[in-house]
Amino acid sequence: MVVGMVRESESGLPIEPVYGPAALDGWDPAEQLGEPGGYPFTRGVHPSMYTGRPWTMRQYAGFGTAAESNARYRQLIAHGTTGLSVAFDLPTQMGHDSDAPLAHGEVGKVGVAVDSLDDMRVLFGGIPLDRVSTSMTINAPAALLLLLYQLVAEEQGIAADRLTGTVQNDVLKEYIARGTYIFPPRPSLRLTADIFRYCRAELPRWNTISISGYHMAEAGASPAQEIAFTLADGIAYVRTAVAAGMDVDDFAPRLSFFFVARTTLLEEVAKFRAARRIWARVMREEFGARNPKSMMLRFHTQTAGVQLTAQQPEVNLVRVAVQGLAAVLGGTQSLHTNAFDEALALPSDRSARLALRTQQVLAHETDVTATVDPFAGSYVIESMTDDVEAAAVGLMRRVEDLGGAVAAIERGFQKEEIERNAYRIARQTDSGERVVVGVNRFRLDEEEPYEPLRVDPAVEARQAERLARLRAGREGPAVGKALAALRTAAGGRDNVLYPMKEALRARATVGEVCGALREVWGTYVPADAF
């Protein structure tokens, strides 16, 4: 939005037409910047950043059956992706089997259907799990999918301490922005703490959580809101683990984050730098972390799906390239670049390959990997970093005043703030103040035809048949005994992941395991549902 010569950022902060030394009066480079790989990590979490090796190119994929998704993963690996990122369908995310009434019409649509250990075997068949890093975008049932992955690795003869990857496991943002929750917040936090403890003992190289601002941004959060509410959730997770008796330096080095990258490149770079600085100070000053790795905000980035348009979809190639560049200049550890046709349907093989090629061009044909933190000392970037940090810290204080992230969620604070910002953006777009190429300016009289990838509706019937065969072929008493042990652990204080693993090994389904926990913990109903 233009006001005289001053523009407004995505966070509603002013962007001056010219910046100079006066913008940084009283600014201490040693305190605000530090060195790359050193506190407060404004300039990145590693001394060499991409001059040693590029970020992990982790393409998000999954649709239909486990066999179809396995074929896509093999294609991505063959094309040069360096990390897998699994998308699960909605029933799996909500802890329902594919033959459950609530799953009807959603099986395999927005990700892959995984109902049991049998599906997980197929999903990763022929993929050496000790040589690939895997991220799984799963939250409320995160423990189940992590354990299924470990069981498949065991069948491949791979030791747990050789597995690397991330499970998203960020249920708090589900209550704020996304909605794929199962249990109420407090037992969900207990489950998160159990995952932290389990991974420390059994999966030491696994990132136990990816605390996510991406979905808040998709719901309409500004950059300042995105990092404020994400870091507030992070503080809640750390407090939960500490209250459960864990030392902060025992688990904090395995925490990771997940942010969006928008087309507003300058503010996005500033956002990433501000987030690192805030987190480092919180971990050192509030939690007394001593290990530098506990203070490092390591994050994955995905380009902004909400900014992709169904109109003139090929223009999305340009948007994704700019967004990917913002993530790289901001110092991301891994990156997913969206396919240009995702506003229309699931990505085709060709569009998924082009998305990966975008990252490869950034890594190998530009000079952004030749030097660490190219924007350090830039008047505009350093000033914008300070502005975004101040706005985010102000919002985090408001969350604290309400009693912390969980209490604020129960009050609806974050959701209301995000909805208010989303309305502001929508009004600016509708009025034409905010230009969206191909939507409210530079439109075509007639859109060119496009044939999207569609999931075979027969997937649901095939999954139901697989489940029927599984239930007929397994040992029913063993499954019942394992589920009873899980309910007992859920009602007490024992770590639920150990009996959960045995239930899954006995071929209990995702729906059955989540159902056992629902019996003990109940289900979450938001306050505004009444």
Side-chain angles (χ1 to χ4, degrees):
M1 183 174 70
V2 177
V3 182
M5 289 295 290
V6 178
R7 285 183 57 181
E8 191 178 85
S9 77
E10 291 282 306
S11 296
L13 304 170
I15 303 177
E16 302 295 337
V18 178
Y19 288 82
L24 301 178
D25 279 349
W27 193 77
D28 183 350
E31 179 185 348
Q32 301 291 88
L33 280 179
E35 294 298 321
Y39 184 89
F41 305 102
T42 310
R43 301 193 63 191
V45 296
H46 301 301
S48 61
M49 286 305 290
Y50 312 133
T51 62
R53 66 180 181 88
W55 59 94
T56 300
M57 299 179 193
R58 191 186 296 284
Q59 290 301 108
Y60 182 54
F63 64 95
T65 64
E68 291 171 300
S69 294
N70 176 267
R72 175 64 63 85
Y73 298 154
R74 288 167 176 265
Q75 289 172 349
L76 287 169
I77 291 170
H79 292 316
T81 192
T82 52
L84 297 177
S85 185
V86 183
F88 296 97
D89 72 355
L90 194 57
T92 305
Q93 293 180 50
M94 299 293 289
H96 296 296
D97 290 332
S98 294
D99 60 356
L102 286 172
H104 180 62
E106 294 294 340
V107 177
K109 290 290 181 66
V110 299
V112 60
V114 174
D115 292 314
S116 70
L117 180 56
D118 292 13
D119 288 329
M120 205 67 159
R121 287 188 188 116
V122 174
L123 186 63
F124 290 102
I127 297 174
L129 299 188
D130 56 341
R131 298 204 297 271
V132 66
S133 172
T134 302
S135 174
M136 292 187 281
T137 303
I138 194 75
N139 294 285
L144 286 76
L145 278 300
L146 174 61
L147 293 170
L148 288 172
Y149 189 84
Q150 183 186 3
L151 286 166
V152 170
E154 288 176 1
E155 292 177 353
Q156 292 185 4
I158 298 168
D161 62 4
R162 294 169 63 192
L163 296 177
T164 60
T166 304
V167 65
Q168 190 165 98
N169 188 30
D170 176 14
V171 73
L172 290 181
K173 66 96 174 43
E174 299 295 334
Y175 306 112
I176 295 171
R178 194 160 175 267
T180 59
Y181 41 72
I182 301 175
F183 317 113
R186 297 186 193 280
S188 294
L189 284 175
R190 179 258 177 100
L191 183 55
T192 298
D194 281 356
I195 292 171
F196 288 177
R197 280 197 296 262
Y198 181 86
C199 287
R200 181 171 182 266
E202 309 290 343
L203 295 161
R205 299 176 65 192
W206 197 267
N207 296 321
T208 53
I209 193 168
S210 179
I211 307 162
S212 177
Y214 180 87
H215 306 93
M216 298 183 207
E218 293 284 282
S222 70
Q225 289 175 334
E226 178 193 355
I227 63 170
F229 298 149
T230 303
L231 298 185
D233 285 354
I235 290 169
Y237 292 125
V238 174
R239 286 175 179 163
T240 298
V242 170
M246 299 181 70
D247 183 273
V248 67
D249 287 319
D250 285 342
F251 67 87
R254 304 314 307 174
L255 303 179
S256 63
F257 291 80
F258 174 24
F259 295 118
V260 77
R262 302 169 179 81
T263 51
T264 44
L265 185 147
L266 296 179
E267 188 178 17
E268 291 300 286
V269 172
K271 176 191 78 178
F272 296 131
R273 293 161 68 82
R276 276 194 297 269
R277 197 154 73 202
I278 297 168
W279 187 248
R281 289 173 177 160
V282 165
M283 293 304 289
R284 188 170 77 171
E285 295 169 13
E286 177 174 342
F287 295 107
R290 299 172 302 280
N291 184 347
K293 290 185 178 179
S294 299
M295 308 174 209
M296 291 179 183
L297 184 144
R298 298 171 301 114
F299 65 95
H300 170 72
T301 307
Q302 181 171 335
T303 55
V306 73
Q307 291 188 320
L308 302 184
T309 64
Q311 299 90 336
Q312 302 179 47
E314 65 279 2
V315 177
N316 294 328
L317 285 164
V318 182
R319 294 187 177 101
V320 169
V322 173
Q323 294 163 0
L325 181 60
V328 170
L329 290 171
T332 193
Q333 277 57 72
S334 63
L335 176 61
H336 164 85
T337 34
N338 289 327
F340 74 89
D341 52 358
E342 286 188 44
L344 297 166
L346 290 169
S348 64
D349 289 346
R350 177 171 175 265
S351 65
R353 184 174 65 250
L354 281 169
L356 175 60
R357 294 288 184 256
T358 301
Q359 294 201 50
Q360 291 165 338
V361 168
L362 290 174
H364 302 293
E365 293 191 22
T366 76
D367 55 3
V368 296
T369 61
T371 186
V372 176
D373 192 19
F375 275 146
S378 158
Y379 297 134
V380 60
I381 290 295
E382 303 301 359
S383 182
M384 289 180 75
T385 300
D386 289 350
D387 289 346
V388 173
E389 178 182 10
V393 168
L395 286 166
M396 292 171 72
R397 288 197 184 108
R398 292 177 68 188
V399 170
E400 285 296 296
D401 290 343
L402 292 170
V406 175
I409 287 167
E410 292 170 343
R411 292 273 297 271
F413 171 71
Q414 298 97 319
K415 187 171 181 286
E416 289 177 5
E417 290 293 304
I418 290 169
E419 288 172 350
R420 188 176 294 112
N421 190 69
Y423 180 65
R424 176 179 70 91
I425 298 297
R427 288 193 63 182
Q428 290 177 357
T429 303
D430 290 345
S431 70
E433 290 178 88
R434 179 180 296 268
V435 175
V436 181
V437 173
V439 175
N440 61 9
R441 200 180 296 182
F442 313 116
R443 291 178 289 199
L444 295 176
D445 293 333
E446 185 177 340
E447 290 289 329
E448 298 171 359
Y450 177 79
E451 185 60 37
L453 174 69
R454 301 192 187 280
V455 174
D456 184 351
V459 165
E460 186 171 331
R462 291 200 294 270
Q463 282 297 111
E465 290 169 6
R466 284 175 61 81
L467 280 164
R469 289 195 300 271
L470 178 144
R471 293 185 183 117
R474 69 189 182 183
E475 295 184 20
V479 174
K481 182 178 178 181
L483 290 173
L486 175 61
R487 283 190 287 269
T488 299
R493 299 175 66 104
D494 290 345
N495 192 318
V496 298
L497 268 74
Y498 290 96
M500 186 185 291
K501 184 180 180 185
E502 294 312 307
L504 293 167
R505 192 197 304 275
R507 299 171 79 201
T509 67
V510 167
E512 289 166 343
V513 171
C514 288
L517 294 176
R518 284 186 183 97
E519 290 178 33
V520 181
W521 291 342
T523 56
Y524 177 70
V525 179
D528 59 7
F530 296 103

